[in-house]
């Protein structure tokens, strides 16, 4: 008796040895993950744990700004710190801060307060510091105003000709209105008419806080003096302005009268430095209570002056913007200043006020509240918009966060380091999530739910301020390269993170199998460090519970191949989880042909 021969089942293997990051879309690619925690692509093509972080210190007040150009600068409450040394304690605690660098100056907006980091004393305190704006008001003072010529001696003011004059002596004849000015020549022994070129204003302390070239507004003096002027000269209790008046005037102000001289800085939503100027923008009320939709630029090389208009290439600049909506950010990029709104990007091109040109592109801009997500690295500008994360290289922005799914995020802060874009955002459940984008390999990973309020690149590291409950800590995201200044400033309080939990959860596996195939076994090759653990969980046919298949622990560095025999099912998901460092080298699926069920 002969029986028919049975054909053996055919087995085939499919090995995944190159791993990407997150893919939250409905049908995922098998070498990607639906979700991860504390994983990274730093060891690509492997997937592994991220670097440990370093807690530098616990902050003693609520932080409102962090800046890492020319050192470590942060604002806590009303206090400004530079390199962990208190510099000033009078900042407004009710406003959001933005810190901008210009040369050696570090400036806090909207307070308009600056410190010059090149003037540090032996205690680390900046000797030169103060406000960009200046407002001087006086009452019960005597003021003298008269015509003069800048660079020449004070005129002799009298209604009679002076006796024994010297060569080039000036005489202001006040015997008639308008007054006349004369200059004496010793060679011809005659007085000749000369036209005054400037106005001299004399009053106690009037010169304080004012320098040559300032654009100021004078109020309260009258006599044709009130208004905008450029300071032409400064001496003790004397200032000179360009202009002409026809008489000498003495003014005595009473207790209810006052005059003021103000060098003002406009109210601005966002500020950046570009080509040795500060640029800003405002959508809302200005200092006069008028609604504006404007952009501004300071005088070249001078962040204290925003109202100097002399027709020169060094002048200040202002212009109205025609598009509707609030400004949401600003950046200096590829020779342009970019002014962002949620649905547009304005590009200011040019090198001086006479050739500044403003262009408007209807591209996705920065989402309101996500201005700190704006970063520039490797020639690309990254930012968070209403739809997600975009990369901008001068043409149209490219959407790069499709792998994160369709959830909307808010209040993004970001920085770049080690060819990765770190962005912390608030999800739909009001939880903060730290995502990392490897823009070389175009891979996303999720680190954890740390609530980073500020992130800023510092040397080859990233400095962040994290909130946990009601505590605020200053942290480094990489423990492998701790900047020298951090080791010096925070040596007594610095602490490296312990081993942390991680996981990597796959998408649905098996959707590509037909009815005549099923998964026979699964091989996983993994490497873990000493005192670390690695567990494998399986979820079959979309059940809610995860079934633990195997846990690998070791006291030394090891590499193991684990064989998993999952139950027969239509589809399943894998979850790798553990604590400590690991590297996932490969996943091999052994697929078996099976008879068709009829």
């Amino acid at each position: 008796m002969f029986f028919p021969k049975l054909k053996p089942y055919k087995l085939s293997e499919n090995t995944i040895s190159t791993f990407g990051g997150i893919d939250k879309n409905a049908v995922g690619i098998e070498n990607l993950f639906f979700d991860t925690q504390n994983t990274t692509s730093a060891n690509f093509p492997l997937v592994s744990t991220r670097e440990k972080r370093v807690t530098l210190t616990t902050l003693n007040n609520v932080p409102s700004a962090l800046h890492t150009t020319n050192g470590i600068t942060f604002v806590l409450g009303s206090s400004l710190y530079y390199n962990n040394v208190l510099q000033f304690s009078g900042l407004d605690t009710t406003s959001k801060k933005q810190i901008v660098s210009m040369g050696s100056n570090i400036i806090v907006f909207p307070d308009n307060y600056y410190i010059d980091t090149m003037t540090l004393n032996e205690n680390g305190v900046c000797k030169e510091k103060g406000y960009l704006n200046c407002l001087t008001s006086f009452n019960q003072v005597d003021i003298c105003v008269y015509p003069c010529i800048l660079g020449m001696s004070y005129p002799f003011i009298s209604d009679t000709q002076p006796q024994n004059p010297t060569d080039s002596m000036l005489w202001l004849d006040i015997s008639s209105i308008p007054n006349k000015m004369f200059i004496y020549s010793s060679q011809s022994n005659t007085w000749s008419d000369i036209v005054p070129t400037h106005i001299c204003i004399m009053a106690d302390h009037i010169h304080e806080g004012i320098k040559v070239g300032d654009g100021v507004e004078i109020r309260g003096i009258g006599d044709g003096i009130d208004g905008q002027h450029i300071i032409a000269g400064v001496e003790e209790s004397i200032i000179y302005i360009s202009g002409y008046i026809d008489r000498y005037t003495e003014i005595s102000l009473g207790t209810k009268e006052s005059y003021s001289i103000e060098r003002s800085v406009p109210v601005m939503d966002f500020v950046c430095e570009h080509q040795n100027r500060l640029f800003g923008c405002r959508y809302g009320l200005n200092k006069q209570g008028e609604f504006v939709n404007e952009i501004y630029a300071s005088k070249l090389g001078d962040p204290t002056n925003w109202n100097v208009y002399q027709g020169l290439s060094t002048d200040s600049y202002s212009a109205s913007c025609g598009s509707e909506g609030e400004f949401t950010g600003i950046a200096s990029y590829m020779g342009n200043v970019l002014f962002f709104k949620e649905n547009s990007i304005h590009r200011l091109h040019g090198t001086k006020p006479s050739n500044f040109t403003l262009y408007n592109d209807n591209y996705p801009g920065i989402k309101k509240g996500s201005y700190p997500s704006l970063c520039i690295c490797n020639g690309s500008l990254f930012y968070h918009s209403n739809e997600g994360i975009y990369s901008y290289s001068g043409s149209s922005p490219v959407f790069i966060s499709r792998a994160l799914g369709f959830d909307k995020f808010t209040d993004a802060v970001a920085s770049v380091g080690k060819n990765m874009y770190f962005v912390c955002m608030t999800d739909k459940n009001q939880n903060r999530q730290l995502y990392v984008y490897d823009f070389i390999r175009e891979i996303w990973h999720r680190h954890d739910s740390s609530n980073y309020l500020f992130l800023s690149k510092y040397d080859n590291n990233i400095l962040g301020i994290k909130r946990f409950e009601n505590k605020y800590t200053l942290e480094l995201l990489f423990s492998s390269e701790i900047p020298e200044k951090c080791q010096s400033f925070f040596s007594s309080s610095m602490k490296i993170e312990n081993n942390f939990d991680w996981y990597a959860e796959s998408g649905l596996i098996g959707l590509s199998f037909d009815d005549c195939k099923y998964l026979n076994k699964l091989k996983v090759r993994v490497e873990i460090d000493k005192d670390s653990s690695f567990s494998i969980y399986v979820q079959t046919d979309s059940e809610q519970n995860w079934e633990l298949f195997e846990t690998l622990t070791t006291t030394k560095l090891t590499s193991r191949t684990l064989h998993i025999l999952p139950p027969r099912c239509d589809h399943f998901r894998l979850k790798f989880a553990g604590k400590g460092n690991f590297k996932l080298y490969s996943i091999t699926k052994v697929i078996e042909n099976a008879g068709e069920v009829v």
Side-chain angles (χ1 to χ4, degrees), residues 382-586:
F382 300 90
Y383 62 91
H384 177 236
S385 91
N386 282 322
E387 303 303 320
I389 307 297
Y390 278 84
S391 172
Y392 179 77
S393 299
S395 56
S396 59
V398 178
F399 185 57
I400 62 173
S401 62
R402 194 177 308 279
L404 301 184
F406 300 99
D407 291 345
K408 301 298 182 182
F409 297 91
T410 58
D411 300 322
V413 301
S415 186
V416 291
K418 298 190 175 182
N419 293 322
M420 296 186 186
Y421 175 71
F422 291 73
V423 56
C424 188
M425 306 176 284
T426 302
D427 63 19
K428 62 181 180 181
N429 297 317
Q430 301 305 304
N431 297 318
R432 298 286 282 175
Q433 305 291 346
L434 178 61
Y435 287 94
V436 181
Y437 178 65
D438 183 336
F439 47 79
I440 301 298
R441 305 176 182 95
E442 300 182 352
I443 292 174
W444 283 95
H445 280 266
R446 188 181 73 89
H447 276 194
D448 57 15
S449 299
S450 294
N451 183 7
Y452 283 99
L453 305 180
F454 306 97
L455 293 170
S456 185
K457 185 177 181 181
Y458 184 56
D459 286 351
N460 293 319
N461 216 311
I462 294 178
L463 194 65
I465 295 180
K466 184 174 76 175
R467 178 178 181 178
F468 179 72
E469 296 178 346
N470 291 322
K471 291 184 178 180
Y472 302 90
T473 54
L474 187 67
E475 296 187 355
L476 290 170
L477 267 59
F478 310 131
S479 60
S480 60
E481 299 181 57
I482 301 177
E484 182 180 346
K485 286 186 177 180
C486 291
Q487 297 184 43
S488 174
F489 299 151
F490 309 105
S491 59
S492 61
S493 58
M494 188 167 57
K495 183 179 179 181
I496 297 179
E497 185 179 19
N498 295 322
N499 281 348
F500 47 81
D501 294 329
W502 60 267
Y503 68 78
E505 181 182 314
S506 75
L508 294 177
I509 299 176
L511 296 180
S512 60
F513 301 170
D514 57 34
D515 291 337
C516 298
K517 296 180 181 180
Y518 73 95
L519 189 66
N520 180 281
K521 67 178 67 173
L522 194 71
K523 300 178 183 179
V524 178
R525 186 167 181 82
V526 62
E527 177 183 302
I528 63 175
D529 277 1
K530 180 181 178 181
D531 299 326
S532 299
S533 64
F534 183 95
S535 299
I536 302 177
Y537 299 82
V538 177
Q539 183 188 81
T540 57
D541 292 338
S542 300
E543 296 288 342
Q544 295 298 316
N545 296 326
W546 290 93
E547 181 180 354
L548 175 63
F549 256 75
E550 189 166 354
T551 297
L552 174 65
T553 59
T554 182
T555 58
K556 60 181 181 180
L557 185 65
T558 185
S559 178
R560 292 272 297 277
T561 299
L562 304 179
H563 293 263
I564 303 170
L565 299 175
R568 193 161 184 173
C569 58
D570 177 72
H571 60 272
F572 65 95
R573 296 169 70 185
L574 294 175
K575 182 177 181 180
F576 308 105
K579 190 171 186 177
N581 292 333
F582 85 99
K583 291 180 182 177
L584 181 61
Y585 284 85
S586 65

